[in-house]
Amino acid sequence: MNEIEVRRRATVHDVARAAGVSLATVDRVLNGRPGVRPATAQKVEAAVAELGFHRDLSASLLARARDLTLVFLIPGGSNEFMESLAEAVARRAVPARAERMHVEARRIPALDPQALADALDGLDARDWDCAVIVASEDEPVMAAVERAARRGIGVMTLVSDLPGSARRQFVGIDNVAAGRTAASLIGRFCPKGKIGVIAGSMHLRDHRERLEGFRAVLAKDFPGLMVLAPVEGHDETEETRERAAALIAGHPDLAGLYNLGAGNAGLVAALDASHRAGGIRVVAHELTAPTRAGLKSGAIDVVLDQNPDGEIRAAIAAARALALGGAGPADAEPIEIGIFLRDNLR
Amino acid sequence: MNEIEVRRRATVHDVARAAGVSLATVDRVLNGRPGVRPATAQKVEAAVAELGFHRDLSASLLARARDLTLVFLIPGGSNEFMESLAEAVARRAVPARAERMHVEARRIPALDPQALADALDGLDARDWDCAVIVASEDEPVMAAVERAARRGIGVMTLVSDLPGSARRQFVGIDNVAAGRTAASLIGRFCPKGKIGVIAGSMHLRDHRERLEGFRAVLAKDFPGLMVLAPVEGHDETEETRERAAALIAGHPDLAGLYNLGAGNAGLVAALDASHRAGGIRVVAHELTAPTRAGLKSGAIDVVLDQNPDGEIRAAIAAARALALGGAGPADAEPIEIGIFLRDNLR
DNA sequence: GCACTCATGAGGTACGTACCTCAAATCGGC
DNA sequence: GCCGATTTGAGGTACGTACCTCATGAGTGC
């Protein structure tokens, strides 16, 4: 069709020829099998680089009897967004199967670093090619990621990143930008007054980043607003309700509320109970049943959303890319931050 | 790993056994080769349905010497969004190649039904599995889609749909919802006054749908606003500038402006020249260089966006699904409408 | 019931990779 | 320069589908 089409993709045979070794040796190097001298391995790697060889995933998955396996370790609890992530995994399982991928979601205790580490440690590298975690930034998690990577399991982070670890890729939104957007909306909505902030946990990097972006824009562009110290609702409905109720009751001049974590059913309940819903400008995260209800009733003004289906799709695509390239981080396109008002609910 | 994993996918061999025919016959039926009695073909199809057989795309593409080919026929002209679609195709060409797909973008004259029809007619079914068009709703286009489908080329529509035609799938946003969202934003921004509307062409279904949604919400929720008759800028910079300038000059009480087509560089130029930028609330479509500039300068308040990369990715995925299933429309997930203010530019 | 066409079966090769076996070559140490 | 261990080569089969040939089956018209 054109010059690109004419030029055949390089195959393992080409690599063998270019490196001056046999097919078996190329295979040993590519699949990390033992019994190859470093000097020979280097010859092969040089040929791979020179030819721009990339393993043909279709053929590779066809030849292995087994599909590419990918497990999502998703926090449990009353966090509706995590629920929707798990549902998205289930939805994508069917089409993924057509692409020779087996994807599965497992729920683990939320905000429990040791439970996440244990779940990672429990993965057998013979069964799983890749694991996707919603990371909290804690030492046991870092160490478990390291161990999994060493066993040959590619670890990716979803929603909340773990930079500096052995994770191969992060899939999620720019949380600093999300916080900044929340601030710029709240700032336009509220001429003056106090702004309350509710987080899930400061151990979650995504929450810390949102707070950082939020504070930065408010401080710079809206000096008339005063940000209260953030309180933690641990992403649970009831705890978030209590924190929100306390904020509302304790500050009669509360102009805005930013819940950068989950537990939005509790937030809406507290707003409704206070009879000040509609008088306080509220920005929350993730389009779920409670935030939809809040938007419709007017209790919530804006919801910032990271499309769970899109994230799961991106994670699955990234896993394929990892399996294909073997090497460096595939450049994933960033997930968009969705902004939802009552009128553009999907 | 679990019961799904254990249960092998059905193969052509299984289908042959279940239908009580040979492999060759199954192959003839699946690939539409001649020489099969209708009764036999039906037996095979029944077996396919019963076993839930789906052709293994990896193996299929491996066996055909040729990659799956997909051509995007994208309007040319000064329309920046179309430009970004073409760029997105080029970007996706590389990863698509790893999935054994050849994708290519061709530019054709904009708003020229005959040119589009000719381009479709010029596609050889031996070279192209699938074509993606940005359709205008005109008879020559409908007929050409019909002919292409008859030749065995799967046609999909992008951005603007062509219902009732032989197109297999539409990839794009819900344009009625986009128009409604524009109205609900303009409505909140403007207490009263006249609202101007600029369209590209009323032959484009997406533009008609946006206008429909826009008018419906304004009429229902914001009766204080008066919508002027829409003018056509034909998605060209200069023509849009003239139309916008005329609207602004002709209506000193113009409160809002909705450009539901392209040509935004002209819109911004007209606003700047009028010295009323900032005094008129402006909603436009598609995040491109001119709309970004407009957001930053304050000339444009909100941009509604359909992520071109996401659309191209969805189109490519849909093409795979079509090639795989052969049958009915793959249920594509709808493309999200992005809302961008100055502060959440990505 | 003959010649003929058309439908079907049987079997092969190919795609690019994974994984296996077995023999042969090469290496290091002494 | 010999031994034993390690490294390498050669070649095979398999995955699931596409596409090919050739032979044989069934069906048709006359």
Side-chain angles (χ1 to χ4, degrees):
Chain A
M1 218 110 11
N2 61 22
E3 53 281 56
I4 290 183
E5 190 68 9
V6 169
R7 211 178 130 84
R8 234 179 71 264
R9 250 189 297 274
T11 75
V12 278
H13 295 85
D14 302 323
V15 173
R17 208 174 315 120
V21 301
S22 77
L23 213 61
T25 300
V26 172
D27 180 70
R28 291 185 182 105
V29 173
L30 287 182
N31 295 297
R33 279 184 255 280
V36 180
R37 250 180 309 160
T40 314
Q42 233 165 344
K43 277 201 297 183
V44 173
E45 271 149 22
V48 165
E50 197 209 340
L51 296 177
F53 169 80
H54 283 281
R55 162 194 336 244
D56 184 324
L57 234 206
S58 313
S60 169
L61 291 180
L62 179 60
R64 320 190 329 168
R66 164 159 100 60
D67 285 5
L68 199 68
T69 53
L70 178 53
V71 61
F72 289 82
L73 302 178
I74 297 180
S78 65
N79 186 336
E80 301 238 2
F81 175 65
M82 296 303 166
E83 186 71 35
S84 71
L85 276 179
E87 285 164 9
V89 172
R91 269 193 297 278
R92 297 300 305 177
V94 178
R97 196 140 185 275
E99 307 275 354
R100 292 199 159 263
M101 310 210 23
H102 169 83
V103 307
E104 189 178 317
R106 291 189 185 164
R107 306 302 293 274
I108 58 174
L111 293 172
D112 181 341
Q114 197 52 53
L116 175 52
D118 291 347
L120 269 176
D121 286 334
L123 295 177
D124 189 327
R126 284 168 305 190
D127 291 338
W128 299 103
D129 297 298
C130 194
V132 182
I133 65 174
V134 180
S136 63
E137 245 177 338
D138 295 288
E139 182 43 44
V141 179
M142 293 283 275
V145 169
E146 203 69 40
R147 285 190 295 273
R150 216 174 291 281
R151 290 203 304 283
I153 298 179
V155 179
M156 308 172 32
T157 48
L158 183 69
V159 176
S160 192
D161 195 12
L162 201 57
S165 73
R167 66 107 176 88
R168 302 291 299 274
Q169 181 110 21
F170 168 63
V171 175
I173 60 172
D174 178 341
N175 284 296
V176 178
R180 283 205 310 265
T181 303
S184 103
L185 287 164
I186 290 252
R188 290 174 178 206
F189 291 157
C190 310
K192 61 188 171 62
K194 292 180 185 162
I195 309 294
V197 178
I198 307 174
S201 161
M202 283 303 144
H203 284 250
L204 299 173
R205 172 169 268 260
D206 55 339
H207 290 197
R208 285 212 316 279
E209 289 178 342
R210 287 172 191 172
L211 182 58
E212 176 196 325
F214 187 73
R215 281 181 160 153
V217 166
L218 278 196
K220 179 167 165 291
D221 294 345
F222 305 98
L225 295 174
M226 178 192 159
V227 188
L228 301 173
V231 298
E232 291 189 343
H234 294 111
D235 288 351
E236 291 291 338
T237 300
E238 185 48 28
E239 203 172 340
T240 304
R241 191 194 60 73
E242 289 167 15
R243 299 287 168 278
L247 272 175
I248 297 166
H251 301 277
D253 53 343
L254 193 71
L257 204 41
Y258 176 35
N259 180 19
L260 53 80
N264 284 303
L267 172 70
V268 172
L271 283 162
D272 286 348
S274 74
H275 301 293
R276 282 167 65 193
I280 301 174
R281 299 272 80 97
V282 177
V283 175
H285 274 268
E286 318 312 351
L287 208 52
T288 58
T291 54
R292 272 173 196 282
L295 279 176
K296 286 205 184 115
S297 75
I300 297 178
D301 293 89
V302 176
V303 168
L304 304 182
D305 180 67
Q306 48 188 328
N307 181 347
D309 286 281
E311 290 191 325
I312 297 301
R313 202 179 339 115
I316 292 176
R320 280 183 81 84
L322 280 188
L324 195 145
D331 52 338
E333 43 223 312
I335 305 291
E336 259 181 79
I337 302 170
I339 303 183
F340 290 92
L341 319 176
R342 189 202 312 202
D343 307 272
N344 70 323
L345 281 180
R346 58 172 147 85
Chain B
M1 224 110 5
N2 61 22
E3 55 279 59
I4 290 182
E5 190 68 8
V6 169
R7 214 178 125 83
R8 235 180 69 263
R9 249 189 297 272
T11 74
V12 278
H13 295 84
D14 301 323
V15 173
R17 210 173 315 120
V21 300
S22 76
L23 213 62
T25 301
V26 173
D27 180 70
R28 292 193 250 271
V29 173
L30 288 182
N31 295 298
R33 278 183 256 280
V36 180
R37 250 179 310 161
T40 314
Q42 231 164 348
K43 276 201 297 183
V44 173
E45 270 149 23
V48 165
E50 197 209 340
L51 295 177
F53 169 80
H54 283 281
R55 161 191 340 241
D56 183 325
L57 234 205
S58 313
S60 170
L61 292 179
L62 179 59
R64 315 185 344 165
R66 167 159 98 61
D67 284 4
L68 199 67
T69 52
L70 179 54
V71 62
F72 288 82
L73 302 178
I74 297 180
S78 65
N79 186 334
E80 300 239 2
F81 174 65
M82 295 304 167
E83 185 71 36
S84 70
L85 276 180
E87 285 164 9
V89 173
R91 268 193 297 278
R92 298 300 304 177
V94 179
R97 193 137 188 277
E99 307 275 352
R100 291 197 158 266
M101 308 205 39
H102 170 84
V103 307
E104 188 177 316
R106 292 188 185 166
R107 307 302 294 272
I108 58 175
L111 292 172
D112 181 342
Q114 197 52 52
L116 175 53
D118 290 347
L120 269 176
D121 286 335
L123 294 177
D124 189 327
R126 284 167 305 189
D127 291 338
W128 298 103
D129 297 297
C130 195
V132 182
I133 64 173
V134 180
S136 64
E137 247 178 335
D138 295 289
E139 181 43 43
V141 179
M142 293 283 275
V145 170
E146 203 69 38
R147 285 190 296 273
R150 217 176 291 282
R151 289 203 304 282
I153 297 179
V155 180
M156 308 172 32
T157 47
L158 183 70
V159 176
S160 192
D161 195 13
L162 201 57
S165 73
R167 67 104 175 89
R168 301 290 299 275
Q169 180 109 25
F170 168 62
V171 174
I173 60 171
D174 178 340
N175 284 297
V176 178
R180 283 205 310 266
T181 302
S184 105
L185 287 164
I186 290 251
R188 290 176 178 205
F189 291 158
C190 310
K192 60 190 170 63
K194 291 181 185 162
I195 309 294
V197 178
I198 307 173
S201 161
M202 282 303 143
H203 284 252
L204 297 172
R205 171 168 268 260
D206 55 339
H207 290 196
R208 286 211 317 281
E209 288 178 343
R210 289 173 190 171
L211 181 59
E212 177 195 324
F214 186 75
R215 280 179 160 154
V217 165
L218 278 195
K220 180 168 165 288
D221 294 345
F222 304 98
L225 295 175
M226 179 192 160
V227 187
L228 300 173
V231 298
E232 291 188 346
H234 294 111
D235 288 349
E236 291 290 338
T237 299
E238 185 47 29
E239 203 173 340
T240 303
R241 191 195 60 72
E242 289 166 14
R243 298 286 168 281
L247 272 174
I248 296 167
H251 301 276
D253 54 343
L254 194 71
L257 204 42
Y258 176 34
N259 180 19
L260 52 80
N264 284 303
L267 173 68
V268 171
L271 283 162
D272 286 348
S274 74
H275 299 294
R276 281 167 65 195
I280 302 173
R281 299 273 79 98
V282 177
V283 175
H285 275 268
E286 317 314 350
L287 207 52
T288 58
T291 55
R292 272 171 197 281
L295 280 177
K296 286 207 184 111
S297 75
I300 297 178
D301 293 89
V302 176
V303 168
L304 304 181
D305 181 66
Q306 46 187 330
N307 180 347
D309 287 279
E311 289 190 325
I312 297 302
R313 197 174 348 111
I316 292 176
R320 280 184 82 83
L322 280 186
L324 194 146
D331 51 338
E333 41 223 309
I335 304 293
E336 260 180 77
I337 302 170
I339 302 183
F340 290 91
L341 319 176
R342 187 203 313 200
D343 307 272
N344 70 323
L345 281 181
R346 58 173 149 84

